[in-house]
Amino acid sequence: MVSNALRQYGTVASDQVSTATPGPSAASTEGGSTRLAVDVRRFGWIRPLAGDYAFDFDKVASLYAGNPRSPGAWRDAIARTRLAQRDREGIAAAVAAQQARRAAPPAAREAAAKLTSPDTVAVVTGQQAGVFGGPLFTLLKAITAIQLARRAASDHQAEVVTIFWVDAEDHDWEEVASCTVLDAGFQARTVSIPRPDGAGDLPVAALRLDSRIEQSIQELSGVLPPTDFTESTIAGLRAAYTFGTGMAEAFARWLETTLGPYGLIVFESSDPAAKPFVAEIFTRELETPGLTASLAAAAGEAFASLGHQPQVIPHPDSVSLFHLDGARRPIRRQDDRFVVGDRTCTIEELRGEAARSPSRFSPNVLLRSIVQDALFPTICYVAGPSELAYLGQLKDAYEHFGVPMPLMYPRASATLIDSAAARFLRRYELPLEALQPQDESVLNRMLASQLPASVEQALKETQETIHRGMERLIDAMPALDPTLAGAARTTLGRMDHDLRGLHSKMIQAAKRRDETLRRQFTRTQAQIFPLGHPQERTLGVIYFLNQYGPALVERLMQELPLDLGRHWVMTI
């Protein structure tokens, strides 16, 4: 076990642990998977809002549509969503056309066909179209949504489908261009797609993969540790990420292949065929320019009064729409006119264009979720931490546009580690957060704790003996020469310094003697905090599919708990 010096970090205490089934154990094991839960409030990278939302919802209740822990909130969400008017047939047809182009699995098509029914409701989540499937949290979001839909269907005897909204109209290329994995030596390796023409200016949906995509896939194949699943994993990528395919379409195809068999409906948000169904939202935003931003800003002030930092601080005169004319251009209000790029036009002119050609417009972050929930009968949105924050600024905006605000459910949070890393954490009682600093401070404490007790005791006794002897000498110095007391204290300081240096050399000797401990620490740290960042935000989902194969999805579907406020450490 570790020394008291290391315990300052705090290991997972029994009152901070939740298991999937009742019981006193800090960890649970089912189907070969070991799970350990950690209170998210321990993590410095998690917003305090996540803690309040999970454990003190009443504090933030005024900002959201209901408490996702409450069965009554789910019943209310289902009822108000069913009452909202939308062109279900038209929207379902647009989804079906997308699925046909991508050759979606039968289960996904069957789920999409249910959207025509006035009683069908949906649990929705979404993410940007990240290369090769994006980070692990993309998969965790989708699995959370699928599980919630199943739970809601069972609890409320309702037809509930799951929809993944592929956010493809942003133009931030750097956000989606790279994928990080661990190689066979547990070194983080990042593979990027070469910039296609227009990257950084055009929406991601407008970017097409060029012939260099095969080079990137080949590079990824060479970096991934070879397993029984590598060949099929790379083949799946090649089937989705092909020359001439759009970035968003490739992501949608890959996600659909992976999770479509579980009934996941994948919707590419840039689809021009869907824009006419939300043209009224676009025109209303242009009729009252700045109102959405003002409502969000006021909600941000309420957020701040509760002790939370607003996610979005919009300019009061901003318009929550972009104009699409190849590039994605912001719309600015200037007196009684609008400025779009280099063009100036009247409110009536731009409103007319939005009504006639809604495909030329795209919602910004404040309007995106409202457009999404006007299209689909959303009873709950599965949100990441930043999304949870900005969605809390939109309650009044939902009301302004007459769109029912759904419940918000934080996505499941998890770190997936191998059995060796799990044994290492248990043996040394290491909390996850102790491994985040990318230095050897924790390792040094561990190594110090492994030094033979006799050596540590002898060093401690030596220090004490020297101090006692030198203090007696210093006390006696004035009788001989008062000026020598300072020299004696300087000598004591040098001796302390030398003893500390000797202690460091002892630790280095321990490092050389126990390279096994050093390797275990390094490989565990690399899995949990690759490049110093949380695993779920850093490593691509493709890394885990390569490690565990398609069974990974089924295992997570069955065994990943949805407990609010918990981060799960799992071995698969």
Side-chain angles (χ1 to χ4, degrees):
M1 295 301 176
V2 295
S3 68
N4 289 335
L6 188 58
R7 292 183 190 277
Q8 66 180 295
Y9 288 100
T11 55
V12 180
S14 59
D15 63 346
Q16 293 174 317
V17 173
S18 170
T19 58
T21 54
S25 174
S28 65
T29 304
E30 290 187 12
S33 295
T34 301
R35 302 178 303 198
L36 178 69
V38 186
D39 189 321
V40 298
R41 291 172 293 186
R42 286 176 44 174
F43 298 149
W45 63 89
I46 296 292
R47 287 170 170 267
L49 173 64
D52 281 351
Y53 198 88
F55 301 108
D56 191 12
F57 184 81
D58 287 346
K59 182 177 179 180
V60 296
S62 62
L63 302 171
Y64 297 95
N67 187 344
R69 291 186 187 274
S70 165
W74 285 85
R75 284 194 298 272
D76 291 346
I78 291 170
R80 65 174 174 265
T81 300
R82 283 174 171 168
L83 289 174
Q85 297 298 309
R86 55 177 53 85
D87 187 344
R88 287 178 172 266
E89 293 284 347
I91 294 165
V95 172
Q98 283 193 25
Q99 291 180 321
R101 290 194 297 271
R102 298 190 299 257
R109 297 194 191 204
E110 291 167 10
K114 295 175 182 177
L115 288 170
T116 59
S117 168
D119 291 330
T120 297
V121 292
V123 175
V124 179
T125 192
Q127 190 58 37
Q128 291 172 297
V131 68
F132 302 147
L136 174 62
F137 69 69
T138 302
L139 181 65
L140 298 178
K141 270 187 162 184
I143 288 176
T144 303
I146 293 169
Q147 287 199 58
L148 282 175
R150 291 175 176 179
R151 180 189 294 179
S154 174
D155 290 349
H156 301 284
Q157 292 76 54
E159 191 69 72
V160 188
V161 298
T162 313
I163 299 171
F164 194 102
W165 175 281
V166 180
D167 189 359
E169 292 190 313
D170 199 343
H171 58 269
D172 192 342
W173 171 249
E174 301 304 326
E175 286 284 327
V176 300
S178 299
C179 173
T180 299
V181 300
L182 297 179
D183 64 17
F186 291 91
Q187 296 296 310
R189 305 281 294 275
T190 298
V191 177
S192 300
I193 290 183
R195 292 177 74 91
D197 292 341
D201 296 321
L202 301 179
V204 169
L207 302 178
R208 301 214 162 264
L209 301 169
D210 59 32
S211 59
R212 297 173 293 175
I213 185 60
E214 176 56 32
Q215 170 188 333
S216 297
I217 293 175
Q218 193 62 36
E219 180 183 355
L220 180 66
S221 177
V223 167
L224 286 169
T227 69
D228 292 341
F229 310 109
T230 303
E231 184 177 348
S232 59
T233 299
I234 295 300
L237 285 182
R238 283 199 170 99
Y241 288 82
T242 59
F243 171 49
T245 302
M247 268 288 290
E249 181 182 348
F251 174 86
R253 187 184 297 272
W254 178 87
L255 186 64
E256 204 164 47
T257 301
T258 305
L259 292 172
Y262 295 90
L264 182 69
I265 301 167
V266 179
F267 177 76
E268 189 183 334
S269 65
S270 63
D271 189 351
K275 296 290 180 74
F277 303 116
V278 290
E280 184 180 348
I281 291 177
F282 296 166
T283 57
R284 186 175 299 183
E285 174 65 16
L286 294 169
E287 285 171 358
T288 56
L291 179 58
T292 302
S294 295
L295 293 172
E301 292 175 4
F303 232 74
S305 71
L306 297 174
H308 297 293
Q309 181 68 32
Q311 176 69 16
V312 182
I313 305 177
H315 190 280
D317 290 331
S318 63
V319 178
S320 299
L321 282 174
F322 290 95
H323 189 269
L324 302 174
D325 56 357
R328 188 173 184 242
R329 306 186 188 283
I331 301 172
R332 305 188 306 277
R333 185 175 67 171
Q334 191 175 81
D335 298 325
D336 60 347
R337 302 176 72 81
F338 288 126
V339 177
V340 183
D342 296 329
R343 176 167 67 103
T344 301
C345 55
T346 65
I347 291 178
E348 291 73 20
E349 288 171 341
L350 205 59
R351 277 190 66 251
E353 184 180 0
R356 294 188 307 273
S357 305
S359 61
R360 296 179 184 173
F361 294 82
S362 169
N364 77 352
V365 66
L366 296 179
L367 206 58
R368 185 204 61 78
S369 59
I370 293 169
V371 167
Q372 165 195 283
D373 301 329
L375 282 171
F376 296 112
T378 312
I379 57 170
C380 179
Y381 182 79
V382 174
S386 295
E387 290 176 304
L388 188 65
Y390 79 72
L391 289 167
Q393 294 181 238
L394 298 182
K395 188 175 183 180
D396 290 341
Y398 269 95
E399 184 175 350
H400 167 64
F401 286 100
V403 177
M405 187 181 193
L407 302 177
M408 307 299 169
Y409 201 100
R411 66 165 174 82
S413 179
T415 297
L416 308 183
I417 58 176
D418 61 24
S419 57
R423 287 193 300 271
F424 179 80
L425 291 175
R426 286 196 300 270
R427 178 179 179 184
Y428 296 102
E429 297 183 354
L430 275 177
L432 292 191
E433 59 268 36
L435 294 169
Q436 186 172 22
Q438 297 297 286
D439 56 36
E440 295 191 343
S441 57
V442 174
L443 177 60
N444 286 339
R445 288 184 176 89
M446 294 176 63
L447 289 165
S449 72
Q450 304 302 302
L451 290 175
S454 59
V455 175
E456 286 280 11
Q457 184 62 30
L459 181 63
K460 180 180 178 182
E461 290 174 357
T462 299
Q463 289 175 315
E464 292 173 349
T465 299
I466 290 173
H467 271 260
R468 285 196 300 270
M470 288 299 294
E471 288 297 335
R472 288 199 300 270
L473 182 59
I474 290 168
D475 290 342
M477 281 294 181
L480 177 62
D481 184 346
T483 64
L484 293 177
R489 291 193 180 281
T490 300
T491 300
L492 178 58
R494 285 199 300 268
M495 296 172 75
D496 278 337
H497 178 269
D498 290 342
L499 284 172
R500 287 195 298 271
L502 178 60
H503 189 253
S504 295
K505 291 179 180 179
M506 291 163 57
I507 291 176
Q508 293 303 318
K511 289 183 181 181
R512 291 191 297 270
R513 188 195 65 182
D514 200 348
E515 281 299 318
T516 299
L517 176 60
R518 186 183 185 87
R519 285 197 304 272
Q520 290 172 343
F521 176 88
T522 301
R523 76 189 298 278
T524 302
Q525 184 183 51
Q527 289 182 61
I528 297 174
F529 288 106
L531 302 175
H533 304 295
Q535 179 200 86
E536 61 184 6
R537 301 183 185 185
T538 307
L539 294 185
V541 65
I542 206 70
Y543 170 75
F544 300 96
L545 290 172
N546 179 69
Q547 288 293 105
Y548 303 111
L552 169 70
V553 175
E554 183 62 30
R555 294 288 285 275
L556 290 176
M557 205 74 72
Q558 294 177 357
E559 300 173 22
L560 178 63
L562 300 185
D563 295 7
L564 293 177
R566 305 296 182 186
H567 177 88
W568 290 89
V569 184
M570 301 181 65
T571 61
I572 301 297

